[in-house]
Amino acid sequence: MEWLVITSQVVVALGLLNVWLLRAGKPTEWRGGDAQNMREEFAVYGLPPWFMRVIGTLKIMLALLLLVGLAVPVLTKPAAIGVAVLMLGAVAMHFKVGDPVKRALPASSLLALSTLIAVV
């Protein structure tokens, strides 16, 4: 079971870092509404630009804490809970704007993995 948690930590952390550091300015099939980048996506959700920066900072920090948690396990559970809360919000935003379920799959997957990390 330990390997599953460790693998989940790495997948969640690298997934968040990929989205927020490498792909934030690029279109993907997972963006809400017709958004072509992260800024547009937050606008689709009716959220202000400053909120995008807050959420992005939190997600990057939590991703890094998940990675550090591999060496300092006491950090893992709080980081996983934080990611789960943010992913719950992401899933809710997709449903708020009427996105197809497919678009919420990445956030739902990270929600499930971070919940697994937090409870195991």
Side-chain angles (χ1 to χ4, degrees):
M1 187 63 88
E2 184 179 352
W3 66 270
L4 181 60
V5 173
I6 290 170
T7 302
S8 297
Q9 278 178 253
V10 172
V11 167
V12 170
L14 294 181
L16 289 172
L17 293 173
N18 175 51
V19 168
W20 284 91
L21 297 178
L22 302 178
R23 302 187 70 162
K26 299 177 182 174
T28 75
E29 61 184 296
W30 313 109
R31 297 236 180 263
D34 293 325
Q36 296 298 305
N37 57 53
M38 193 68 73
R39 184 174 307 275
E40 289 178 15
E41 187 170 14
F42 271 69
V44 165
Y45 299 144
L47 302 170
W50 65 264
F51 196 70
M52 181 193 76
R53 290 187 291 276
V54 169
I55 295 299
T57 300
L58 287 171
K59 286 185 179 181
I60 290 167
M61 288 173 44
L62 291 168
L64 294 174
L65 284 174
L66 284 173
L67 293 175
V68 173
L70 296 169
V72 185
V74 70
L75 299 175
T76 301
K77 186 172 184 170
I81 292 169
V83 171
V85 169
L86 293 175
M87 290 301 106
L88 189 58
V91 170
M93 288 294 108
H94 281 289
F95 288 114
K96 173 187 173 189
V97 299
D99 280 340
V101 173
K102 173 189 172 190
R103 291 208 181 151
L105 285 179
S108 299
S109 299
L110 292 184
L111 171 58
L113 289 174
S114 58
T115 301
L116 171 80
I117 296 163
V119 298
V120 173

